[in-house]
Amino acid sequence: MVNKSTPPLIDRIVLGIDPGTNVMGYGLIAIKGNQLTLIQFGVIHLSKYADHAIKLSKIFERITTLIQEYHPDEMAIESPFFGENVQSMLKLGRAQGVAIAAAISQQVPIFEYAPKKVKQSVTGNGNASKEQVASMLSKLLSFQEIPKLLDATDALGVAVCHYFQKGTVKKNNGGWEAFLKENPDKIKSTPGKKK
C-alpha cells in the first residue's frame, strides 16, 4: 500500500519492522517537523518457504531492498518477547537478527522497542489489541483500508512509536544481558520451571 503524497522535503524517514518467521511486517513513515506521512506498509510472506535458512535469506534480501529503495534514516524494530515455546522464540530471534543485520549492512541506525511500549505509544494502552493499534494508525496516518494481515500495521506502529520517542531512546548495543537488565518484564518463564 503506497501513499503517493509523500512531502518532497522531509526531516527523516523511519522504517518500522514487526519481526516474524511466517509473515514479517514493514512500514515506512516520513517525518517533517511534527507531521507524519505514510510512505508504504506491507508484509513479507515467508510461509511458502519450508526451509528456515531460506526464510532468513529472504528477510535479509527484502529488508535490504526496502532500505536501498526508500533510504530510511533509522530502523525501529520490535524487540523479542520471551514465551513458553523455546523453538518459536529462537526462530523469531533469528528473524529479528537478520533484519537488524540487513540494516547494519546498509549503515542504518537501529532502535528496539518492546511490544507494550509500541502499543502504549500508539494507543495510550500497553495492552491494546492489534485491531486497536491498526485503527488508531489509520486515523493518525490517514489511510482507509486496514490490511488483512495486521503485521503491516504492527510494523507501522513500531515506526510511529520511534517518532513519539523523539530520539530519547538509546540504540541497543548492549546485547542480551543489557536487554534483560533493562526489560525484566519480558521474561515470562524459564524452561522447566512454572511460575
Side-chain angles (χ1 to χ4, degrees):
M1 294 175 205
V2 179
N3 182 346
K4 302 285 187 191
S5 64
T6 304
L9 299 172
I10 56 173
D11 295 333
R12 60 191 170 132
I13 293 173
V14 177
L15 169 62
I17 299 291
D18 178 40
T21 55
N22 289 321
V23 177
M24 179 173 276
Y26 65 89
L28 288 133
I29 58 171
I31 301 166
K32 175 64 178 169
N34 291 326
Q35 183 182 356
L36 293 180
T37 304
L38 172 64
I39 297 174
Q40 180 179 6
F41 65 116
V43 295
I44 302 167
H45 293 279
L46 301 162
S47 57
K48 58 188 170 190
Y49 305 107
D51 186 271
H52 188 63
I54 291 174
K55 289 182 181 187
L56 297 177
S57 174
K58 296 297 179 185
I59 290 168
F60 188 89
E61 288 171 17
R62 187 67 178 118
I63 299 298
T64 300
T65 300
L66 285 168
I67 291 169
Q68 290 173 348
E69 185 174 349
Y70 293 99
H71 307 287
D73 299 285
E74 296 149 346
M75 184 175 91
I77 190 164
E78 193 171 86
S79 61
F81 60 92
F82 297 88
E84 297 292 329
N85 188 328
V86 175
Q87 287 303 314
S88 293
M89 287 170 27
L90 286 172
K91 287 180 179 178
L92 182 61
R94 288 181 193 135
Q96 187 210 31
V98 167
I100 288 172
I104 290 170
S105 75
Q106 301 297 308
Q107 292 84 43
V108 176
I110 302 142
F111 298 81
E112 291 184 59
Y113 297 95
K116 279 190 179 252
K117 181 70 169 177
V118 172
K119 292 174 181 179
Q120 177 72 35
S121 293
V122 174
T123 69
N125 176 3
N127 295 314
S129 69
K130 286 178 172 278
E131 291 79 11
Q132 288 171 317
V133 170
S135 176
M136 185 63 75
L137 287 169
S138 72
K139 293 175 182 138
L140 186 64
L141 295 170
S142 304
F143 60 89
Q144 303 299 316
E145 187 180 337
I146 294 177
K148 289 179 186 174
L149 295 174
L150 297 179
D151 306 84
T153 47
D154 284 352
L156 267 182
V158 179
V160 170
C161 172
H162 180 64
Y163 161 75
F164 284 136
Q165 299 309 303
K166 304 231 187 252
T168 59
V169 176
K170 293 180 183 174
K171 285 184 248 182
N172 186 353
N173 294 325
W176 282 111
E177 187 175 320
F179 175 81
L180 293 173
K181 191 180 263 185
E182 294 170 10
N183 299 281
D185 60 318
K186 297 293 162 238
I187 303 171
K188 299 216 182 210
S189 67
T190 53
K193 293 183 181 177
K194 300 265 183 189
K195 279 194 172 181

